């Protein structure tokens, strides 16, 4: 794991963009993308760049079940706003939050991943070390699945909704194995709320209690953390 400790989020976005751009220039064709606040600065840098994605493909990590792509809380809406409107890809895939047949949707998405092997996967991390929506306890062999969100995740994500009751209880997510299949991974984490998750991910045992700890077994992972998120690493 290549751990890059940066001063603040602004510097984090700059360094993330350098890592991203290098992957782009080295010919990464399929980009696994993430939502949440952690990649916002990177997306801003990409929007401001001259990078062209008309011959590249994106596959998103996850989506809430029950929300349409037009719902402003959906990850599809987020991606349109933050990236796709300014930087259209040849093709962009996300799970369909309104799919009626859950099993068929899981199968459809897994097939998309098999047909479009991810070259570069971007990740945030939950305070319980979830990646995508792979909550503690998820088997490392898991591929795309429908998941029940952990209470900690509902709590963390309620800030984006009017009321806690409005946070969807289920989501579709690439599994841990799907994430590990990516050739290169970039994880971004900012703030003290992520410090314990980062410590456990980087220095703890590889255990399903800490979903992101599986990244220790991946040959090409970069982790960008600000000083607050890195605070427990040097103790
Ligand atoms: C959500 C998403 C994750 C994301 C995480 C952290 O639950 N499913 O993909 O990485 O939360 O979000 P943030 O970057 O806003 O802290």
């Amino acid at each position: 794991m290549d751990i890059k400790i940066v001063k603040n989020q602004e510097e984090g976005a700059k360094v993330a963009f350098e890592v991203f751009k290098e992957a782009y220039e080295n010919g990464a064709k399929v980009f696994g993308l993430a939502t949440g606040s952690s990649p916002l600065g990177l997306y801003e840098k990409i929007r401001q760049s001259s990078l062209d994605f008309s011959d590249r493909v994106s596959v998103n990590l996850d989506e809430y079940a029950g929300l349409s792509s037009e719902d402003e809380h959906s990850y599809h809406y987020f991606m349109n706003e933050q990236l796709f409107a300014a930087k259209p890809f040849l093709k962009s895939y996300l799970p369909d939050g309104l799919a009626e047949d859950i099993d068929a949707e899981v199968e459809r998405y897994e097939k998309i991943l098999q047909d479009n092997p991810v070259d570069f996967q971007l990740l945030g991390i939950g305070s319980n070390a979830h990646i995508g929506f792979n909550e503690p306890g998820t088997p490392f062999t898991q591929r795309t699945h429908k998941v029940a969100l952990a209470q900690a995740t509902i709590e963390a994500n309620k800030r984006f909704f009017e009321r806690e009751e409005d946070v969807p209880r289920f989501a579709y997510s690439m599994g841990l194995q799907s994430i590990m299949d990516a050739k290169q991974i970039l994880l971004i984490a900012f703030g003290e709320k992520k410090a314990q998750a980062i410590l456990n991910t980087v220095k703890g045992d590889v255990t399903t209690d800490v979903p992101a700890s599986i990244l220790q077994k991946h040959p090409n992972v970069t982790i960008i953390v600000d000083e607050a998120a890195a605070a427990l690493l040097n103790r």
Side-chain angles (χ1 to χ4, degrees):
M1 287 176 151
D2 178 14
I3 320 280
K4 296 183 192 292
I5 301 176
V6 296
K7 273 227 126 21
N8 51 36
Q9 299 200 20
E10 174 55 29
E11 201 197 318
K14 235 189 261 169
V15 175
F17 181 69
E18 281 161 20
V19 175
F20 184 95
K21 186 161 171 269
E22 194 186 347
Y24 177 99
E25 284 167 351
N26 286 338
K29 196 160 167 36
V30 181
F31 289 85
L33 299 178
T35 56
S37 51
S38 309
L40 284 174
L42 169 61
Y43 289 151
E44 187 184 2
K45 295 259 179 275
I46 297 174
R47 290 199 304 273
Q48 292 164 349
S49 75
S50 59
L51 297 184
D52 174 61
F53 293 90
S54 56
D55 63 346
R56 315 283 166 123
V57 171
S58 71
V59 192
N60 259 79
L61 262 181
D62 48 13
E63 176 62 290
Y64 286 119
L67 301 187
S68 83
S69 56
E70 281 90 52
D71 188 308
E72 61 181 50
H73 297 109
S74 75
Y75 286 170
H76 204 147
Y77 187 95
F78 173 104
M79 290 309 301
N80 286 339
E81 292 275 297
Q82 296 299 327
L83 194 62
F84 300 154
K87 295 286 182 187
F89 282 66
L90 174 65
K91 192 85 193 121
S92 283
Y93 297 102
L94 281 100
D96 175 5
L98 292 187
E100 278 179 20
D101 183 335
I102 295 161
D103 293 339
E105 180 56 13
V106 164
E107 208 176 299
R108 181 189 76 89
Y109 211 66
E110 191 52 39
K111 168 94 170 56
I112 287 168
L113 286 170
Q114 300 300 326
D115 294 345
N116 299 275
V118 173
D119 295 304
F120 182 93
Q121 179 66 55
L122 181 62
L123 296 175
I125 186 169
S127 53
N128 62 0
H130 75 241
I131 45 178
F133 271 124
N134 296 289
E135 301 284 14
T138 307
F140 291 142
T141 51
Q142 185 71 54
R143 294 190 173 275
T144 304
H145 57 148
K146 188 186 177 196
V147 290
L149 304 195
Q151 189 53 37
T153 304
I154 294 168
E155 293 277 327
N157 291 4
K158 72 180 181 197
R159 66 190 194 273
F160 299 112
F161 294 81
E162 249 167 60
R163 302 170 307 166
E164 184 176 328
E165 303 91 273
D166 297 336
V167 184
R169 266 39 186 176
F170 293 92
Y172 290 98
S173 181
M174 282 187 198
L176 294 168
Q177 184 61 57
S178 332
I179 292 169
M180 287 294 283
D181 284 347
K183 289 200 191 85
Q184 180 181 358
I185 295 176
L186 170 63
L187 186 149
I188 303 175
F190 299 127
E192 59 181 348
K193 284 196 185 125
K194 304 291 173 72
Q196 190 65 48
I198 289 296
L199 174 67
N200 295 346
T201 296
V202 172
K203 293 198 169 168
D205 294 340
V206 176
T207 160
T208 54
D209 294 342
V210 180
S213 65
I214 189 63
L215 299 176
Q216 290 180 26
K217 305 265 182 208
H218 192 284
N220 190 354
V221 178
T222 305
I223 298 187
I224 296 175
V225 276
D226 67 356
E227 286 171 357
L232 301 176
L233 287 181
N234 296 326
R235 293 220 179 128

PDB file of all heavy atoms in Angstrom, residues 2 10 29-30 71 85 90 103 128 171 176-177 182 200 206:
ATOM      1  N   ASP A   2       0.533   2.161  -0.879  1.00  0.00           N
ATOM      2  CA  ASP A   2       1.266   3.430  -0.918  1.00  0.00           C
ATOM      3  C   ASP A   2       0.404   4.468  -0.199  1.00  0.00           C
ATOM      4  O   ASP A   2      -0.650   4.854  -0.688  1.00  0.00           O
ATOM      5  CB  ASP A   2       1.491   3.804  -2.394  1.00  0.00           C
ATOM      6  CG  ASP A   2       2.208   5.130  -2.533  1.00  0.00           C
ATOM      7  OD1 ASP A   2       2.754   5.626  -1.527  1.00  0.00           O
ATOM      8  OD2 ASP A   2       2.209   5.678  -3.654  1.00  0.00           O
ATOM      9  N   GLU A  10      -7.685  20.017  -0.002  1.00  0.00           N
ATOM     10  CA  GLU A  10      -7.291  20.659  -1.261  1.00  0.00           C
ATOM     11  C   GLU A  10      -6.050  19.968  -1.830  1.00  0.00           C
ATOM     12  O   GLU A  10      -5.988  19.624  -3.006  1.00  0.00           O
ATOM     13  CB  GLU A  10      -7.067  22.170  -1.010  1.00  0.00           C
ATOM     14  CG  GLU A  10      -6.520  22.958  -2.182  1.00  0.00           C
ATOM     15  CD  GLU A  10      -7.343  22.826  -3.468  1.00  0.00           C
ATOM     16  OE1 GLU A  10      -8.562  22.601  -3.389  1.00  0.00           O
ATOM     17  OE2 GLU A  10      -6.745  22.932  -4.566  1.00  0.00           O
ATOM     18  N   LYS A  29      -8.913   2.172 -19.262  1.00  0.00           N
ATOM     19  CA  LYS A  29     -10.092   2.326 -20.121  1.00  0.00           C
ATOM     20  C   LYS A  29     -11.377   2.325 -19.298  1.00  0.00           C
ATOM     21  O   LYS A  29     -12.321   3.037 -19.582  1.00  0.00           O
ATOM     22  CB  LYS A  29     -10.094   1.164 -21.120  1.00  0.00           C
ATOM     23  CG  LYS A  29     -11.011   1.428 -22.256  1.00  0.00           C
ATOM     24  CD  LYS A  29     -10.753   0.609 -23.491  1.00  0.00           C
ATOM     25  CE  LYS A  29     -11.908   0.716 -24.469  1.00  0.00           C
ATOM     26  NZ  LYS A  29     -12.565   1.998 -24.542  1.00  0.00           N
ATOM     27  N   VAL A  30     -11.385   1.492 -18.257  1.00  0.00           N
ATOM     28  CA  VAL A  30     -12.586   1.388 -17.423  1.00  0.00           C
ATOM     29  C   VAL A  30     -12.302   1.951 -16.031  1.00  0.00           C
ATOM     30  O   VAL A  30     -11.406   1.474 -15.325  1.00  0.00           O
ATOM     31  CB  VAL A  30     -13.061  -0.078 -17.307  1.00  0.00           C
ATOM     32  CG1 VAL A  30     -14.326  -0.160 -16.463  1.00  0.00           C
ATOM     33  CG2 VAL A  30     -13.294  -0.685 -18.694  1.00  0.00           C
ATOM     34  N   ASP A  71     -33.750  11.096  -8.826  1.00  0.00           N
ATOM     35  CA  ASP A  71     -33.859  11.492  -7.418  1.00  0.00           C
ATOM     36  C   ASP A  71     -32.544  12.139  -6.993  1.00  0.00           C
ATOM     37  O   ASP A  71     -31.467  11.556  -7.174  1.00  0.00           O
ATOM     38  CB  ASP A  71     -34.132  10.242  -6.565  1.00  0.00           C
ATOM     39  CG  ASP A  71     -34.459  10.603  -5.123  1.00  0.00           C
ATOM     40  OD1 ASP A  71     -33.673  11.354  -4.500  1.00  0.00           O
ATOM     41  OD2 ASP A  71     -35.482  10.137  -4.625  1.00  0.00           O
ATOM     42  N   ALA A  85     -22.088  15.275 -16.508  1.00  0.00           N
ATOM     43  CA  ALA A  85     -22.603  16.397 -17.306  1.00  0.00           C
ATOM     44  C   ALA A  85     -21.438  17.131 -17.976  1.00  0.00           C
ATOM     45  O   ALA A  85     -21.511  17.515 -19.140  1.00  0.00           O
ATOM     46  CB  ALA A  85     -23.404  17.347 -16.425  1.00  0.00           C
ATOM     47  N   LEU A  90     -17.952   7.320 -22.760  1.00  0.00           N
ATOM     48  CA  LEU A  90     -18.511   6.511 -23.848  1.00  0.00           C
ATOM     49  C   LEU A  90     -19.746   5.779 -23.328  1.00  0.00           C
ATOM     50  O   LEU A  90     -20.794   5.741 -23.969  1.00  0.00           O
ATOM     51  CB  LEU A  90     -17.447   5.499 -24.322  1.00  0.00           C
ATOM     52  CG  LEU A  90     -17.858   4.470 -25.362  1.00  0.00           C
ATOM     53  CD1 LEU A  90     -18.222   5.149 -26.682  1.00  0.00           C
ATOM     54  CD2 LEU A  90     -16.717   3.462 -25.597  1.00  0.00           C
ATOM     55  N   ASP A 103     -32.610  -9.995  -8.097  1.00  0.00           N
ATOM     56  CA  ASP A 103     -31.599 -10.974  -8.512  1.00  0.00           C
ATOM     57  C   ASP A 103     -31.126 -10.697  -9.933  1.00  0.00           C
ATOM     58  O   ASP A 103     -29.931 -10.810 -10.237  1.00  0.00           O
ATOM     59  CB  ASP A 103     -32.168 -12.399  -8.430  1.00  0.00           C
ATOM     60  CG  ASP A 103     -32.437 -12.781  -6.979  1.00  0.00           C
ATOM     61  OD1 ASP A 103     -31.842 -12.158  -6.077  1.00  0.00           O
ATOM     62  OD2 ASP A 103     -33.253 -13.703  -6.749  1.00  0.00           O
ATOM     63  N   ASN A 128     -16.912   2.824   9.587  1.00  0.00           N
ATOM     64  CA  ASN A 128     -16.776   1.429  10.026  1.00  0.00           C
ATOM     65  C   ASN A 128     -15.948   0.616   9.018  1.00  0.00           C
ATOM     66  O   ASN A 128     -16.007  -0.607   8.997  1.00  0.00           O
ATOM     67  CB  ASN A 128     -18.162   0.788  10.225  1.00  0.00           C
ATOM     68  CG  ASN A 128     -18.985   0.739   8.943  1.00  0.00           C
ATOM     69  OD1 ASN A 128     -18.529   1.184   7.886  1.00  0.00           O
ATOM     70  ND2 ASN A 128     -20.195   0.205   9.018  1.00  0.00           N
ATOM     71  N   ALA A 171     -29.173  -1.149  -0.514  1.00  0.00           N
ATOM     72  CA  ALA A 171     -28.412  -0.612  -1.649  1.00  0.00           C
ATOM     73  C   ALA A 171     -27.864  -1.765  -2.473  1.00  0.00           C
ATOM     74  O   ALA A 171     -27.795  -2.906  -2.003  1.00  0.00           O
ATOM     75  CB  ALA A 171     -27.258   0.244  -1.133  1.00  0.00           C
ATOM     76  N   LEU A 176     -16.678  -7.117  -2.407  1.00  0.00           N
ATOM     77  CA  LEU A 176     -15.254  -6.938  -2.115  1.00  0.00           C
ATOM     78  C   LEU A 176     -14.387  -7.618  -3.170  1.00  0.00           C
ATOM     79  O   LEU A 176     -13.343  -7.092  -3.557  1.00  0.00           O
ATOM     80  CB  LEU A 176     -14.944  -7.467  -0.712  1.00  0.00           C
ATOM     81  CG  LEU A 176     -15.623  -6.645   0.388  1.00  0.00           C
ATOM     82  CD1 LEU A 176     -15.543  -7.358   1.733  1.00  0.00           C
ATOM     83  CD2 LEU A 176     -15.001  -5.247   0.488  1.00  0.00           C
ATOM     84  N   GLN A 177     -14.852  -8.770  -3.648  1.00  0.00           N
ATOM     85  CA  GLN A 177     -14.081  -9.441  -4.705  1.00  0.00           C
ATOM     86  C   GLN A 177     -14.119  -8.618  -5.987  1.00  0.00           C
ATOM     87  O   GLN A 177     -13.104  -8.484  -6.673  1.00  0.00           O
ATOM     88  CB  GLN A 177     -14.632 -10.857  -4.965  1.00  0.00           C
ATOM     89  CG  GLN A 177     -13.823 -11.645  -5.987  1.00  0.00           C
ATOM     90  CD  GLN A 177     -12.371 -11.860  -5.541  1.00  0.00           C
ATOM     91  OE1 GLN A 177     -12.122 -12.417  -4.488  1.00  0.00           O
ATOM     92  NE2 GLN A 177     -11.408 -11.387  -6.336  1.00  0.00           N
ATOM     93  N   ALA A 182     -10.066  -5.053  -9.541  1.00  0.00           N
ATOM     94  CA  ALA A 182      -9.556  -3.879 -10.265  1.00  0.00           C
ATOM     95  C   ALA A 182      -8.032  -3.928 -10.318  1.00  0.00           C
ATOM     96  O   ALA A 182      -7.383  -4.378  -9.373  1.00  0.00           O
ATOM     97  CB  ALA A 182     -10.012  -2.600  -9.573  1.00  0.00           C
ATOM     98  N   ASN A 200      -7.142   0.685  11.146  1.00  0.00           N
ATOM     99  CA  ASN A 200      -7.495  -0.736  11.045  1.00  0.00           C
ATOM    100  C   ASN A 200      -7.250  -1.280   9.641  1.00  0.00           C
ATOM    101  O   ASN A 200      -6.834  -2.422   9.470  1.00  0.00           O
ATOM    102  CB  ASN A 200      -8.968  -0.944  11.407  1.00  0.00           C
ATOM    103  CG  ASN A 200      -9.259  -0.604  12.854  1.00  0.00           C
ATOM    104  OD1 ASN A 200      -8.339  -0.455  13.663  1.00  0.00           O
ATOM    105  ND2 ASN A 200     -10.528  -0.458  13.192  1.00  0.00           N
ATOM    106  N   VAL A 206      -6.199  -8.535   8.583  1.00  0.00           N
ATOM    107  CA  VAL A 206      -7.119  -8.639   7.455  1.00  0.00           C
ATOM    108  C   VAL A 206      -8.300  -9.470   7.932  1.00  0.00           C
ATOM    109  O   VAL A 206      -8.183 -10.666   8.163  1.00  0.00           O
ATOM    110  CB  VAL A 206      -6.430  -9.291   6.236  1.00  0.00           C
ATOM    111  CG1 VAL A 206      -7.425  -9.481   5.098  1.00  0.00           C
ATOM    112  CG2 VAL A 206      -5.257  -8.438   5.788  1.00  0.00           C
TER     113      VAL A 206
END
